[in-house]
Amino acid sequence: MKHKLRDRNTPYLNVLDYLVQEKVFLTIVILGIILSIVSVNFGQSAMWVGFFFAAYAAVSNDSIQSLGTFIESNKARKWWVLWLFTGTIFLGVVTFSWFYFNGDVTYQRLLTDDGVTKYPHPENFSFFQIVAPLVLIILTRLRMPVSTTFLLLSVFSADTSGITSVVFKSWTGYIMAFMISFAIWYFSYNIIRKYFKSRKAHIGWTVVQWAVSGTLWGVWVMQDGANIAVFLPRQQTAFQFIIFALTIFIGMGLLFYLRGDKIQQVVSEKVRISDVRAATLIDFSYVLLLIYKLFISTVPMSTTWVFLGVIGGREIAVSLIRRKAGKKHKVKALKMVVKDFSYAMIGLLISIMLAIGANRTVRDEIWNYIASIFN
């Protein structure tokens, strides 16, 4: 008696298929969780375990914003060329900070001149602090562009002000990025389309793009390097700095070898993003905003939210100004923007939950605030 083949669209079969396809990844995650549980009983071991997890998680997730358009528009080039270019910039940026700020590699994102920090380095790490990068790795695998700043810094925040200040700066960054990007692409799209369409990009565009992308990557390291360095002492010794720099440098090599891995789809699905000229314009508007936000305050910020604002404003502007009839492409653009923003909000919610679990002070402040609302 022959059995009928089961429909592969059955939900539980789809889940099983996914688990089979991702069995290596899931095995690594499970081992990572076990290692996190064991390491919390050993101070220095926990610090390094959390750091190694964070180094890979932060670079792989944030690759879409700082390196995504660079990877997408340079598909024809060898991966190791792109790696050495960006890797050299990274080493130069963090080395300067380490020397200039007496061991601080974060450009004072975590430690001010007077030694004050909203993100103290713990003597004993909690499970939630170590597992936070693993959560980020899982979300990255699911192609969710969540904020590494919220996920990794929140669990180290001494109080809720360390979270609310980052949220406010990130919100204003998203709104500003969306509005500026929308204006640039809405009012200049026809001109851009006229000169870009069906024309091979001049070699000069590649030179400009590499200069802009290099600057963007350097500024990103100044802003988001704190998300990785938060696991290490605020002022690193020479040995700690060498491990810090080489780990991220090698991790970048893996990222370029994988061409951005699964999270790269967030960039690849956008309209004409592989054109070196479009990629350059996106990165240029993005880096200007990051530089502005970098110098107005040393409060950490979600660069992911700023990037989502940049590409979101562009997608909406292009969908409105294009001459295609119908609403299909407009609805598609709106869905992509809403999806990306929803993922960012999910990341924020998860970050707060992890912070509540990791820090008693944060937990008490949030419960007291909720109680005051209902009293």
Side-chain angles (χ1 to χ4, degrees):
M1 180 178 179
K2 293 184 178 180
H3 294 284
K4 292 183 179 179
L5 293 176
R6 294 182 182 274
D7 182 6
R8 305 309 292 179
N9 290 323
T10 304
Y12 77 87
L13 287 177
N14 283 340
V15 172
L16 291 176
D17 288 343
Y18 178 81
L19 292 176
V20 171
Q21 293 170 6
E22 298 288 341
K23 60 182 179 182
V24 175
F25 172 74
L26 291 173
T27 300
I28 293 174
V29 169
I30 292 172
L31 291 175
I33 293 174
I34 294 173
L35 185 59
S36 300
I37 296 172
V38 173
S39 66
V40 293
N41 297 314
F42 305 92
Q44 287 294 307
S45 297
M47 179 183 78
W48 288 111
V49 168
F51 162 72
F52 288 128
F53 287 162
Y56 179 76
V59 173
S60 61
N61 186 277
D62 282 0
S63 65
I64 62 158
Q65 52 179 287
S66 53
L67 299 172
T69 53
F70 183 64
I71 292 173
E72 189 67 23
S73 56
N74 284 279
K75 288 181 177 178
R77 300 186 186 278
K78 295 184 181 300
W79 68 270
W80 56 267
V81 174
L82 306 181
W83 170 43
L84 292 180
F85 173 70
T86 55
T88 301
I89 293 173
F90 165 76
L91 292 176
V93 170
V94 295
T95 300
F96 175 83
S97 181
W98 186 74
F99 276 108
Y100 189 81
F101 295 108
N102 300 315
D104 176 19
V105 298
T106 69
Y107 286 80
Q108 296 191 312
R109 288 305 178 268
L110 300 178
L111 188 68
T112 59
D113 284 331
D114 54 5
V116 176
T117 178
K118 290 184 178 180
Y119 310 95
H121 189 256
E123 293 183 6
N124 297 305
F125 285 80
S126 73
F127 169 74
F128 292 100
Q129 290 172 325
I130 304 302
V131 84
L134 285 176
V135 174
L136 180 58
I137 290 174
I138 295 172
L139 296 178
T140 300
R141 193 72 175 182
L142 295 174
R143 297 191 291 272
M144 297 177 66
V146 299
S147 169
T148 58
T149 302
F150 293 146
L151 263 172
L152 299 182
L153 289 191
S154 295
V155 291
F156 287 90
S157 182
D159 52 49
T160 54
S161 65
I163 301 174
T164 55
S165 59
V166 175
V167 171
F168 178 76
K169 187 175 180 180
S170 302
W171 260 112
T172 57
Y174 177 88
I175 296 171
M176 185 183 299
F178 189 97
M179 294 175 63
I180 291 176
S181 182
F182 178 89
I184 290 173
W185 285 93
Y186 187 83
F187 293 108
S188 62
Y189 178 76
N190 288 329
I191 298 175
I192 293 172
R193 183 172 177 272
K194 177 181 178 181
Y195 288 98
F196 286 8
K197 187 177 182 180
S198 301
R199 293 187 184 186
K200 186 177 180 180
H202 189 274
I203 187 64
W205 275 103
T206 300
V207 175
V208 172
Q209 191 222 13
W210 280 55
V212 171
S213 296
T215 303
L216 171 59
W217 173 239
V219 175
W220 179 89
V221 173
M222 294 178 189
Q223 282 276 10
D224 277 18
N227 301 341
I228 306 171
V230 69
F231 283 88
L232 301 179
R234 301 298 166 256
Q235 292 178 302
Q236 298 178 16
T237 64
F239 173 76
Q240 291 168 342
F241 172 69
I242 291 172
I243 299 299
F244 167 80
L246 287 182
T247 299
I248 299 175
F249 180 75
I250 294 171
M252 289 174 60
L254 177 61
L255 178 72
F256 277 103
Y257 178 75
L258 297 174
R259 295 290 178 175
D261 206 7
K262 292 182 178 293
I263 195 70
Q264 183 66 18
Q265 184 177 333
V266 175
V267 173
S268 303
E269 68 184 2
K270 302 301 185 289
V271 178
R272 297 177 65 87
I273 208 77
S274 60
D275 189 308
V276 65
R277 296 161 295 193
T280 302
L281 289 176
I282 291 171
D283 285 352
F284 182 70
S285 58
Y286 181 39
V287 74
L288 288 180
L289 285 163
L290 287 191
I291 291 173
Y292 170 71
K293 286 290 188 177
L294 178 69
F295 289 106
I296 62 172
S297 85
T298 57
V299 173
M301 175 188 69
S302 171
T303 51
T304 299
W305 281 27
V306 176
F307 177 73
L308 293 179
V310 170
I311 60 174
R314 175 185 180 272
E315 287 298 302
I316 296 298
V318 171
S319 70
L320 292 176
I321 203 67
R322 288 170 75 188
R323 296 177 180 176
K324 285 187 176 181
K327 298 180 179 179
K328 185 176 180 180
H329 60 287
K330 295 181 177 63
V331 172
K332 181 182 178 181
L334 181 60
K335 284 183 177 179
M336 280 194 292
V337 172
V338 171
K339 180 186 70 174
D340 290 345
F341 182 78
S342 299
Y343 284 164
M345 293 304 296
I346 290 173
L348 176 58
L349 179 60
I350 294 174
S351 303
I352 294 174
M353 292 171 63
L354 287 171
I356 290 173
N359 193 310
R360 183 182 180 86
T361 302
V362 172
R363 185 163 59 245
D364 291 343
E365 288 186 22
I366 291 177
W367 292 142
N368 290 338
Y369 176 76
I370 294 174
S372 68
I373 295 177
F374 292 99
N375 289 337

